[in-house]
């Protein structure tokens, strides 16, 4: 079994660049992005165009691939992140 630090992004996924809302500015999206909307920096191969760039939001840099978040498919990752988004939304009664 892989440890969290050993996981790398699944090719052609981009779930973490689509599912969560981002409230900080992103190059090309000065107001951030709503949940479920792909980031403008998401390339056609679903990789980040600004990965490693200082303009990349801290939120994005803080997301690390993990077995529970990524699941076995892009669909599972999108569903997990959507549940997390809903559970952490302002006004959510946990």
């Amino acid at each position: 079994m892989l440890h969290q630090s050993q996981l790398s992004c699944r090719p052609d996924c981009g779930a973490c660049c689509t599912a969560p809302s981002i409230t900080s500015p992103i190059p090309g999206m000065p107001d951030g992005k709503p949940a479920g909307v792909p980031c403008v920096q998401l390339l056609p191969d679903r990789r980040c165009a600004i990965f490693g760039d200082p303009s990349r939001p801290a939120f994005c840099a803080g997301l690390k691939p993990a077995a529970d978040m990524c699941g076995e498919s892009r669909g599972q990752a999108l569903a997990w992140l959507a549940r997390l988004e809903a559970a952490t939304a302002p006004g959510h009664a946990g």
Side-chain angles (χ1 to χ4, degrees), residues 56-76:
R56 185 173 177 229
F59 173 85
C60 301
L63 279 175
K64 304 291 184 209
D68 58 346
M69 179 176 81
C70 298
E72 297 293 323
S73 67
R74 179 175 193 268
Q76 286 181 359

Side-chain angles (χ1 to χ4, degrees), residues 25-55:
I26 303 165
M29 299 180 105
D31 298 321
K33 68 169 223 59
V37 173
C39 177
V40 298
Q41 297 298 331
L42 192 59
L43 297 169
D45 67 355
R46 293 196 179 126
R47 295 203 179 265
C48 178
I50 57 172
F51 188 86
D53 188 288
S55 65

